[in-house]
Every structure is written in C-alpha cells, then in structure tokens.
Amino acid sequence: MAADPTYSAQKRNPTILPQTTSDDDDGGPRGRHLPKGRHGDRKFGNIRITILCGFVTVLVLRGTIGLSNLVSFEADAESQYLIEETNRIVTAIRSDDDPPDPDDENSPNSTSAFNLGPKIKNWDQDKKLWRRRNPQFPYFINGRPKTYLVTSSSPSPCENSIGDHYLLKFLKNKIDYCRIHGIELVYNTAHLDKEMSGHWGKLLQIRQLMVAHPEAEWIWWMDSDALFTDMVFEIPFHRYRSSNLIIHGYPDMLFNEKSWIALNTGSFLLRNSQWSLDLLDVWAQMGPRGRPREEAGKILTSSLKGRPALEADDQSALIYLLISQRERWMNMVSIESSYCLHGFWESLVDRYKEMMEKYRPGFGDERWPFVTHFVGCRTCASNGDYPVERCLKSMEMAYNFADNQVLNLYGFRHRGLVSTNIKRIRNESVTPVVNVDKFGIRNSLRGNKG
Amino acid sequence: MLDRVLGPLNARRLHRVFRKAKLTVLCLFLTLIVLRANIGAGKFGTPEKDLDEIRETFSHIRNRAEPRRVLEEVAELKSSGDADAGSKNYADFDIKKILKDEDDGFPEFKRDPSQPYSLGPKISDWNEQRSEWLKNNPDYPNFVAENKPRVLLVTGSSPKPCENPVGDHYLLKSIKNKIDYSRLHGIEIFYNMALLDAEMAGFWAKLPLIRQLLLSHPEVEFLWWMDSDAMFTDMAYEVPWERYKDHNFVMHGWNEMIYDEKNWIGLNTGSFLLRNCQWSLDILDTWAPMGPKGKIREDAGKILTRELKGRPVFEADDQSAMVYILATEKEKWGEKVYLENHYYLHGYWGILVDKYEQMIESYHPGFGDHRWPLVTHFVGCKPCGKFGDYPVERCLKQMDRAFNFGDNQILQMYGFTHKSLASRKVVRIRNETSKPLEVRDELGLLHPSFKAVKTGSS
C-alpha cells in the first residue's frame, strides 16, 4: 500500500504495534491510533486464520501423502502401525535370527577329497534286491518308470514378495504336470550342507532321494524358475534305455567349442544307479564353498569358452567333467535337443500367441516348448539380468499358457495370456464323462506307453 | 497506482475485495487439492502419484550416476534389442501394470442371469455315469489299494500377489507341507488359483470348484478340501477311510453342537472329505443358494445370525450355511454326514501351537488327535491379507513353528531335523551310511504301508 499514513504514524511512534494486513473491514481512518483491544482482536483474528490454514494444510497433507506423525485419525494410525509392524516382522523373518554356529566358518582347505556321503558300492544290486522284495512299491507304473521330480528354493522369504508369488505359481505348475503324469514331486526348502551351498545343493538332494527311494527309477532335477509349458508331452523314456543322464544341450558346443553353456543343468534326469552316484561324487569335487570352489572356478574359466571369471558353478563343472573324462561317462549320457527339456525363455515367450494359432500341445519342441526356463530373471533376488517388466510379464504369460492346458479339462481358459481372470469356454454338460474322455490329458496319453 | 485510476475510496474498496477474494481463492484451492487427493483428477493424477513421480525422478538421477555394471554372465545369445530398456530391480514393481484381460477369440459361455443361481445343470445319474466310466478305464481305479480310496486334496489361493509382503511365502510353505503329506500318503493335489464363478467369490468359491472337480475326475473317490491356512502336523497319520464307508461327507465337529445347539462353529468347513457321488452333487446344490454375492448373501447372513447360536452379524459364509442345512434337514442329510472329533481333521491353532514341545516330549506322530494333531488350522490369521483377527507376529511365528513341527517328520526320513521349532536351519540327526537300505527311518515314512499300491498291475 503506497504512502499509507498510518504506517508513517507507526514510524513516528515505535511503541504502537504494527498493523498487519488483515480482513479488518473498516480499514481504519487514517492516522488514528487504534486501541489495544482492536489490535488484540485483529491479532487473534489473524492467528485464527493462520491456525485454520495450518490445520487444513495438515489435513490435506495427511490425506494425500500420509504424514501420519501429525494429527491423524485413529483408523489410519492403526493401519500405519500395522504396516510398520508387518514390515518389522518381515525384516526379522528375512534376516537369519539364529546365532551363528561355532563351526560355521569357512573350511578353507580340505586336503582330502570332498564326499557327498560315504562311498556306496553295489548300489545296483542292493536296489534290485530291494525292489524284488517290495513289489508293493513299484518302480514301473502304467507303462512309465517311477520318477521323482525335485525342485527347491530358499527357506527364507524372497528379497521381494513378487519373488515368492512366482515361486508359488511355478510350483502349482509343477504340481499340475506331476499329477497328470503320475510323477512324485519333492519340494525342498532346507539347506542340507553348508559346504554345498547355492546351486550345488542339488547334488546332495539328488543323491539323498536316490538312496532313500530305491523304487525311484529316475530323479528329475528342475530349477524353481522353470515351468512346464507343454502339459501333454512326456519324456520318451524308451529312447533312454541305455542312458543314465538325460540333459538338454548341443554335442558340438560341448566337444568342439567347449562352451560353458553347452548343457543346461536347470532341468535334467539321472537314473537311480551306481553310475549316477559315482558321477555325483566326481561332480561334487568342484562344489565345496570357499577355496575349492574358487580354485575350480579359475580352471573352468580358463578351460571353457565364454565363461566369465566366477567361482565354480555346477553347470560348468559338469561340462568340464564330461569333456575331460569323456570316455568314462559319455556312453551313458543322452544330450537331448529334439525337445525343450530346457527352453530358454527369451526366444520362446513372444511366440506363444503364434504357437496357439498354429500348433497344439504335445510337440514339446520349439512348436510347443516342453519347459520354459527363466534363466537370469532371478525374481527371488532383488535384481535380475533382465528388465523386471519383461521378466514378470513373460513369466505370467508362460504360466497362463500352461494353465490354459490344465483348465481346458474343466472348460475354462484365461482371458488372454496376461490375465488372472478366467472365462468359461464350454457349456456345462449333463454328461460330464464325455468331456473327460475328450479333453482329459491322461486319456490322450494311453497310446504312448512304453 | 490504483488510487490514481479509481480514486481513493474505490481503491480501498477494491483492496478490500481483493483481500476477501484472496481468502476465497485460498479456500477454493485447498478444496481442490483435497478433492484431488481423494477422488483423483483423471490424467492429472493424485498427489500420491506426484510423490511417486518425484521419487522416481530422483532415483532415476541417482541410478544414472552409478557406474554401469557390465553383466558378463549373460550369454552371448542375448540380442542387442533389449539394451536395458527398464529397471532390473524387483522392489516396488506393481504387477497390476502388466495384468489385463484380453479377448483371444474364444467364445465365452455365460450363465443366464435371469435364472436363479445354480452351480450347473442338474445331473441325476452321476453314480451310473461314473461307474460306467470306471469300468471303461481300469487303469484309473477309484480304489488304489485295499480300503484305500483315490483321494484328491484340493486347496488354493488368489492368482494375484498377497497384500501382505510375506503372505506368498507362507502360502508357499503351506503348499510344500501339503505336497509332503500327500506324497507320503499317495494323495493327488489340485492347487486352484482361478475364480471359476465371480458370483461365488470369497469363501464360497470352493463350491463351484468342488463340483467341477468331482465331475471332471470320476476316478477320484474322495475329494479333500483344505484351506490354504491349514497345515499337516502329523505326517504319519492316515485317515481311517474304512470308518467312512457308509458316509459321504466327513467334517470335524460335534453332533450335539449342530443338531441340539445349532452352534455356528459346531463344525468346520476348512478341512473336509466329500465322496464323489450323486448325494454330494445334491448337497452342493442345496448348499449353494446362500452364496451368490450381494443381496442374497447379505439376507442369508441375517437368517443365519438369527437361527444359529453365537453367530455374529455378517454376510452368509459356507460354514454357517452347512450348519443350518444339517440342523434343519437332519432327516435328509444327517445319515450320510459324519462329524468327526476323534482326531483333528481340523485343529484350531490357538489351543495347539503352544503345546508342540510337550507333544514332542511325551508322544510321537501317528495319533492325529490332541496328542499329535493331524491338522493345525490357522483360522483367522489371514497371512495373505493385510489384517487378520490376531496379531501378525503371533500368527507368523506360530505358523513357522507348525510348519517346522511337520517338516521335522519329513526331514527325519533323510536324517535331518530343524535346529529348533523356530529355526529355518537344519542339522543332521543320523549319520550317513554306505548301506542306506539297511537303515529304516524312525517313523517308517519312507515306505509306509498306506503308500503301498495294489500289486499285479504292470
């Protein structure tokens, strides 16, 4: 306000409280000293408005951004408390709250060879004898050898909850395949041996199942990030009568290129036999945590094409083993690439729609992949090798692609490959057994025995 | 300045107007902000989105500043197309961005909404259809051994991630527990993650699922429904199938509480057995009418609260509905319903979990009852949702203990056990041997008699 006389009056008399701009209507006649009461009123009026504005601001902020340490309603405070409690508990669950073992330190140099367990000899004979004595636990049912599918994940929650969600979905997928094909499913969540940590743990799990279940003819290891995308296809066991290891890979990549990705140990089968126990024992030598694994890693990096500098992993170790001890092992190994015992996801997921248009379940190969394996996505960790959105979207598509094949028997289908919702695609019938015969996968398999 | 244009009095008036207007404008502005916060403003978004965007911008700037890590482990096969086109961090990724319905050309068959709700077309000859099918399919008999029916264990959870960050982890543990029990006992599992009928959402979703499974699996003799928050804690206990040879529906409960008291918790539908037969289809059809969500369920809820003892006010649930049906139509259904309480086909967790250590000291697996419960059911915990009826910490801790209590019985087959009921770590309890077939596990679960099959098939 230009040239306000009251202002200059104040300057002349500093004891008078300065006038604030306020909603004081009357403006005041110029030059008059206002009584203290009026000053006070105006001041209170100003303060009232300030408080009102302040209160409204707090409300707005609380409602929008959630600054609940300011004034908040009871329900929201409770909600916030619960969220914090849950997060605290989640953190406690994720961290290992066991006190560390005194003998948990790294055993740096074990001079003696590592043992997966006591050396077992005569396993083939012992197993045969047991089977003869226990026909009520058959090793061959409905024309198929008894198979145990084993997979595992950590006993702790994943770094992010989405990881656990996909572990759950992928496990459901395995449950479905195993139910349809009469395979026993074992899901392991225990760290059995601190030396064989990480992916090396599978060797011990496989051995353990073999010796505990002589009725098992095949032990099938499958990673937790692999899922079945062909619910009809079955492993053609008749092809492998003289094999003990069935693994996906390429022989020329293995022997000519010595590539570190010539085989994939994310999905393979080992026959329950002495040969397999011996292979596991030799394979395990590069596994023990600490110095053995690091030293082995150096050997593997220098021997295998394309391998980065890493500690030894089970896949490279097996490749190295089969190359360097070829005469000992290779005659009983079937390297399979005619169907996707392991199917690398990146080259498959974008073609699901095309596959649904052109082909049908049962091929098991690139036309309708048996297994889609999400190598590198690492949804249970906090970071993967690929963009999160691509991984999760592809995993959802693969899961639904497979689930459609299961739901088909019940007359349902997903509303698209990225939908969790389903729709009915067949009118319900008063003679449901007709649909069972027509759409049941088990029925369609009856011709493929032996 | 305005003085000169308008004159001093008018200028003052104008100033006054401005002052009032300032306040009005301020209040209007605040109202808009509040409304935007609550209702949103279309593409202008909400303040939460603003905050997210601000956060994202800052983190993006931070990320760019970090040295780029060359990911050598990735195979050479990786195409050049996906040069880091998105975040690789799983934290804070909202899966709902990806999920959406699409029309894939398959025609949809919808229920006629003008008709009263039904689970499906009325079937009256299911027993005959089924026995015909069984005769034609001798490879899939409904009895897998003497007195041992083919059983399908059915459970499930939502296809969307849990709201609670550890919910999925507990669902995973729970299904592993069921996989272990089922493998030992020769039972098949169906894990449902699909909502078959949107009208029967919530606890009623099991009805359309059960009917569909019974009709699609004529080889199944008994369907065993089990909630996702129930866990097996006695791996050695085999259900006494012979006891139920003249019954079609087995639930945990007490006859007096149902038929005399009409108590709403006189039985539990979290774990029950249902025979695959015409009678079961009929009782499902009788059960379903209180289920359709909306007014029907609300009104049914009122009837149930009025009629049943102790029932609080809420919409109709499947358990109360079954109590009501049995209490009011005992002559029609009661004969084929078995209310079992000699073992914990369903065991309320509240009275069991603190006693596990005592049980380990005094008893052993195989009892299935209060000495060693078959099933511990975490009613009210709701680990997948955000809030349950009990404190989160107690629920999760006890679920861990129950899981380990059951898991110990599996691990002992292979010579291991959990360090304690609270620990994820396992330790060896039995040295390995070079003659594994000469060793038997203490509980005899590796090759139990209830897993043995009929011999004579190829």
Side-chain angles (χ1 to χ4, degrees), chain A residues 22 24-25 53 56 60 64-65 82 86 88-90 93-96 98 101 116-119 123 126 130 135-138 140-142 155-157 160-161 164-166 168-169 171-172 175 179 184-187 189 191-192 208-209 211-215 260 346 377-379 381-388 391-393 396 399 410 412-413 415-416 418-428 430-433 436-437 442 446 449, chain B residues 16 19 26 30 33-34 37 47-48 51 72-76 78 82 86-91 93 95 97-102 104 106-109 119-123 126 129 133 137 139-140 157 159-161 164-166 168-172 175-176 179 183 188-191 193-196 212-213 215-219 387 392-393 396 414 416 419 423-426 432-437 446-448 451-453 455 458:
Chain A
S22 72
D24 188 3
D25 305 51
C53 286
V56 176
V60 167
T64 62
I65 297 168
L82 277 159
T86 312
R88 184 186 65 76
I89 293 165
V90 169
I93 291 173
R94 287 213 178 108
S95 70
D96 202 357
D98 283 331
D101 267 334
L116 274 182
K119 186 75 189 148
W123 178 241
D126 291 346
W130 188 95
Q136 72 276 30
F137 297 104
F140 213 79
I141 308 176
N142 278 351
S156 318
N160 297 292
S161 53
D164 281 308
H165 182 69
Y166 278 97
L168 183 67
K169 278 187 138 149
L171 183 55
K172 172 204 152 55
I175 290 173
R179 179 185 66 250
E184 304 273 13
L185 177 61
V186 179
Y187 192 76
T189 54
H191 292 313
L192 300 175
Q208 182 173 268
L209 280 177
V211 304
H213 295 283
E215 73 276 17
W260 79 300
E346 264 241 289
C377 275
R378 288 205 282 274
T379 27
S382 46
N383 285 294
D385 298 338
Y386 300 90
V388 160
C391 267
L392 293 183
K393 184 170 182 184
E396 187 67 28
Y399 169 82
Y410 311 116
F412 287 90
R413 192 177 174 82
R415 292 182 187 275
V418 285
S419 170
T420 52
N421 299 319
I422 61 173
K423 64 183 176 188
R424 198 176 265 289
I425 53 167
R426 213 162 54 228
N427 242 341
E428 290 180 277
V430 291
T431 49
V433 284
V436 173
D437 288 332
R442 278 183 184 161
R446 249 179 284 126
K449 304 265 183 65
Chain B
R16 232 180 284 149
R19 253 180 279 145
L26 180 71
L30 284 170
I33 291 186
V34 171
E48 267 179 64
L51 196 67
E72 290 176 284
E73 308 88 284
V74 176
E76 312 89 306
K78 184 175 166 209
D82 45 27
S87 161
K88 299 189 178 158
N89 191 299
Y90 286 102
F93 183 82
I95 191 82
K97 270 167 52 176
I98 304 174
L99 303 174
K100 67 175 190 281
D101 290 354
E102 281 164 354
D104 61 353
F106 273 75
E108 182 178 358
F109 288 83
L119 288 174
K122 179 88 186 134
I123 299 176
W126 180 235
Q129 284 192 48
W133 188 93
N137 292 272
D139 284 343
Y140 295 105
S157 61
K160 297 206 169 66
N164 184 327
V166 281
D168 283 296
H169 178 70
Y170 283 90
L171 286 174
L172 191 64
I175 186 56
K176 171 195 152 61
I179 288 172
R183 186 180 63 251
E188 294 177 348
I189 301 178
F190 186 86
Y191 194 89
M193 281 178 116
L195 181 61
L196 268 62
Q212 190 65 65
L213 288 171
L215 298 179
S216 305
H217 291 283
E219 75 276 11
F387 314 116
V392 170
E393 189 153 12
L396 299 185
Y414 306 108
F416 289 89
K419 230 169 129 186
S423 168
R424 293 193 284 266
K425 287 209 176 113
V426 302
E432 282 195 280
T433 152
S434 59
K435 290 278 180 187
L437 293 177
L446 277 174
H447 301 99
K451 180 84 185 271
V453 299
T455 47
S458 63

Side-chain angles (χ1 to χ4, degrees), chain A residues 233-262:
Chain A
F233 184 84
E234 285 204 313
I235 303 233
F237 285 110
H238 58 273
R239 257 190 237 177
Y240 309 118
R241 281 193 233 275
S242 42
S243 297
N244 289 329
L245 169 62
I246 311 170
I247 189 164
H248 186 271
Y250 305 95
D252 53 303
M253 274 181 89
L254 180 63
F255 296 115
N256 303 342
E257 289 179 37
K258 298 194 177 31
S259 160
W260 79 300
I261 46 168

Side-chain angles (χ1 to χ4, degrees), chain B residues 90-211:
Chain B
Y90 286 102
D92 306 324
F93 183 82
D94 186 5
I95 191 82
K96 297 193 198 75
K97 270 167 52 176
I98 304 174
L99 303 174
K100 67 175 190 281
D101 290 354
E102 281 164 354
D103 183 9
D104 61 353
F106 273 75
E108 182 178 358
F109 288 83
K110 284 193 185 157
R111 207 182 65 78
D112 184 356
S114 63
Q115 296 295 314
Y117 182 81
S118 80
L119 288 174
K122 179 88 186 134
I123 299 176
S124 311
D125 61 341
W126 180 235
N127 290 337
E128 291 76 15
Q129 284 192 48
R130 193 175 164 243
S131 53
E132 185 69 24
W133 188 93
L134 286 169
K135 223 182 346 150
N136 296 332
N137 292 272
D139 284 343
Y140 295 105
N142 56 330
F143 275 80
V144 296
E146 194 71 42
N147 299 326
K148 169 107 176 177
R150 186 185 297 271
V151 180
L152 181 69
L153 182 85
V154 182
T155 184
S157 61
S158 164
K160 297 206 169 66
C162 289
E163 284 187 44
N164 184 327
V166 281
D168 283 296
H169 178 70
Y170 283 90
L171 286 174
L172 191 64
K173 283 174 100 156
S174 176
I175 186 56
K176 171 195 152 61
N177 168 280
K178 293 179 177 89
I179 288 172
D180 286 332
Y181 181 90
S182 305
R183 186 180 63 251
L184 259 56
H185 291 261
I187 290 174
E188 294 177 348
I189 301 178
F190 186 86
Y191 194 89
N192 183 51
M193 281 178 116
L195 181 61
L196 268 62
D197 190 333
E199 271 190 86
M200 299 288 268
F203 15 65
W204 290 94
K206 58 174 81 111
L207 265 67
L209 175 68
I210 292 175
R211 176 186 155 104

Side-chain angles (χ1 to χ4, degrees), chain B residues 286-388:
Chain B
T286 307
W287 199 355
M290 286 190 167
K293 67 175 187 208
K295 187 162 191 308
I296 300 179
R297 209 185 280 188
E298 295 285 338
D299 291 344
K302 294 185 188 132
I303 298 174
L304 294 171
T305 304
R306 191 184 67 221
E307 297 288 325
L308 302 180
K309 177 178 173 200
R311 188 182 194 271
V313 177
F314 68 109
E315 55 176 20
D317 64 299
D318 60 305
Q319 181 171 301
S320 309
M322 183 46 63
V323 175
Y324 182 71
I325 290 170
L326 293 183
T328 52
E329 295 180 56
K330 181 177 181 182
E331 320 70 41
K332 186 169 182 196
W333 306 107
E335 196 198 328
K336 293 291 189 180
V337 172
Y338 196 110
L339 292 178
E340 175 69 85
N341 45 55
H342 285 106
Y343 65 92
Y344 280 121
L345 180 58
H346 139 84
Y348 171 59
W349 68 286
I351 55 169
L352 295 171
V353 292
D354 297 309
K355 305 206 183 111
Y356 286 146
E357 278 84 2
Q358 265 174 272
M359 294 173 190
I360 293 173
E361 227 173 291
S362 318
Y363 304 113
H364 56 79
F367 288 119
D369 55 21
H370 62 279
R371 295 170 288 182
W372 204 285
L374 172 63
V375 171
T376 302
H377 186 187
F378 286 86
V379 195
C381 273
K382 303 201 205 43
C384 192
K386 257 209 162 115
F387 314 116

Side-chain angles (χ1 to χ4, degrees), chain A residues 330-394:
Chain A
M330 277 314 296
N331 64 330
M332 302 286 241
V333 176
S334 285
I335 299 180
E336 188 54 87
S337 54
S338 66
Y339 59 88
C340 297
L341 179 57
H342 142 83
F344 180 55
W345 67 281
E346 264 241 289
S347 51
L348 296 170
V349 293
D350 298 313
R351 296 180 32 236
Y352 286 146
K353 287 213 171 102
E354 180 200 326
M355 292 172 194
M356 291 193 296
E357 274 164 43
K358 288 195 188 149
Y359 307 114
R360 56 177 162 74
F363 288 119
D365 51 24
E366 289 79 32
R367 291 172 292 180
W368 202 283
F370 184 32
V371 170
T372 302
H373 186 189
F374 285 86
V375 195
C377 275
R378 288 205 282 274
T379 27
C380 198
S382 46
N383 285 294
D385 298 338
Y386 300 90
V388 160
E389 182 157 349
R390 175 136 173 85
C391 267
L392 293 183
K393 184 170 182 184
S394 307

